[in-house]
């Protein structure tokens, strides 16, 4: 065991602050990573505040981790000291169920081990995440980071990136298709970049007129203000696929109505309350309404390699570790372009 410095919450009602804890020593198949940057995901805030009612304190959030390999176990074959690597939302799974065998560890039938607040197989306690100096992870859940990309801007790919890449790939979005992305935040801005890179015609839907220029800059062919009924009416029945990244309550039926026959709307934003679906909006054109959770390890690696080849990263705002509470407050107001990333050098020693 070694003592690892981190930043976490000791209770749902407490602000995050410096918190030291024990991590396991590097086992035979483990990689010990010195963390350089960690992205800030909405889930971090939900978990730290116990808004999903499953947090076991203390909680050290962070599952958009990038850094450098500091030590490898003697059975590690894919990594060497000094490699640039990433860790996303999972650090383990059962590895034996049908989902795991298909490379869909995120749908592990036993449940994957979350990078934080997950049941740690080694310590018997809970896992601690990336708001910390270092992390020890089995090599099967460590990803290689392309060297040509800005490392800090790679961090959000590990959650926001794969969450949008995976459904766009699964539903085979590509040339000749009209694709809608709903919401321009951490997820949505990656959805726009990937859908464009896959060759689709991309339309961004946003409530905010101030995001029109950014939407076009990020790769959308067209931006529609979703609060303009006339503009929305023009889009009815014209989409092959829609990726909905909005985590707030909104009228999903309005977007289902934009799909062509057999079109699919995939929800990746997660509103706290149920979204009422008018079944007729599905029945009349055999439309599909689906969900999707991050991506498997192999697909996450494929996504990082794709980003390396196409020079895709997240648009980020770098913060110091002690600015995290301000960052959370701004994130709640959607006042971030488009992901906060913590410079882990600023974790006070
Ligand atoms: Zn996340
Ligand atoms: Zn499994």
């Amino acid at each position: 065991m070694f003592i690892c410095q981190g930043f976490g919450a000791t209770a749902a009602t407490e602000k995050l602050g410096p918190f030291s804890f024990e991590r396991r020593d590097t086992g035979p198949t483990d990689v010990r990573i010195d963390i350089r940057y960690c992205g800030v995901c909405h889930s971090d805030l939900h978990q730290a505040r116990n808004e999903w009612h499953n947090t076991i304190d203390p909680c050290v959030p962070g599952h958009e981790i990038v850094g450098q390999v500091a030590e490898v176990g003697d059975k590690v074959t894919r990594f060497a000291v000094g490699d640039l690597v990433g860790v996303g939302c999972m650090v383990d799974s059962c590895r034996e169920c049908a989902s795991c065998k298909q490379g869909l560890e995120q749908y592990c039938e036993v449940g994957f081990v979350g990078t934080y607040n997950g049941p740690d197989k080694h310590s018997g306690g809970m896992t601690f995440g990336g708001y910390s100096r270092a992390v020890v992870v089995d090599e099967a859940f460590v990803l290689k980071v392309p060297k040509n990309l800005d490392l800090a801007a790679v961090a959000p790919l590990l959650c926001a990136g794969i969450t949008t890449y995976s459904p766009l790939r699964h539903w085979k979005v590509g040339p000749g298709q009209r694709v809608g992305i709903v919401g321009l935040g951490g997820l949505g801005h990656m959805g726009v970049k990937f859908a464009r890179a896959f060759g689709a015609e991309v339309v961004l839907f946003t409530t905010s007129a101030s995001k029109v220029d950014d939407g076009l800059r990020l790769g959308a062919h067209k931006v529609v203000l979703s609060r303009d009924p006339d503009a929305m009416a023009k889009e009815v029945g014209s989409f092959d696929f829609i990726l909905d990244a909005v985590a707030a309550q909104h009228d999903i039926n309005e977007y289902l109505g934009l799909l062509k026959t057999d079109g699919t709307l995939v929800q990746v934003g997660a509103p706290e309350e149920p979204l009422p679906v008018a079944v007729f909006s599905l029945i009349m054109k055999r439309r599909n309404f689906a969900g999707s959770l991050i991506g498997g390890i192999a697909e996450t690696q494929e996504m990082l390699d794709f980003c390396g080849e196409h020079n895709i990263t997240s648009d980020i705002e770098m913060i110091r570790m002690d600015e995290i509470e301000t960052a959370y407050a701004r994130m709640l107001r959607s006042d971030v372009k488009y992901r906060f990333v913590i410079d882990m050098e600023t974790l006070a020693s």
Side-chain angles (χ1 to χ4, degrees), residues 86-158:
V87 176
C89 304
M90 307 182 280
V91 290
D92 213 335
S93 70
C94 87
R95 309 189 196 195
E96 288 171 355
C97 72
S99 295
C100 285
K101 283 192 170 146
Q102 287 178 74
L104 298 170
E105 298 89 350
Q106 75 275 31
Y107 305 124
C108 175
E109 285 151 33
V110 182
F112 66 81
V113 179
T115 301
Y116 59 84
N117 200 60
D120 190 325
K121 288 183 188 175
H122 302 268
S123 71
M126 301 305 271
T127 52
F128 294 116
Y131 295 7
S132 58
R133 280 254 178 266
V135 66
V136 178
V137 180
D138 189 290
E139 72 164 330
F141 285 78
V142 178
L143 300 141
K144 292 175 204 274
V145 170
K147 290 193 186 78
N148 58 314
L149 300 176
D150 173 24
L151 190 61
V154 167
L157 300 177
L158 276 311

Side-chain angles (χ1 to χ4, degrees), residues 13-25:
T13 50
E14 296 293 311
K15 288 186 167 156
L16 270 69
F19 172 74
S20 290
F21 55 94
E22 287 184 335
R23 288 218 192 264
R24 70 179 184 267
D25 291 324

Side-chain angles (χ1 to χ4, degrees), residues 41 43 63 159:
C41 176
S43 308
H63 60 202
C159 176

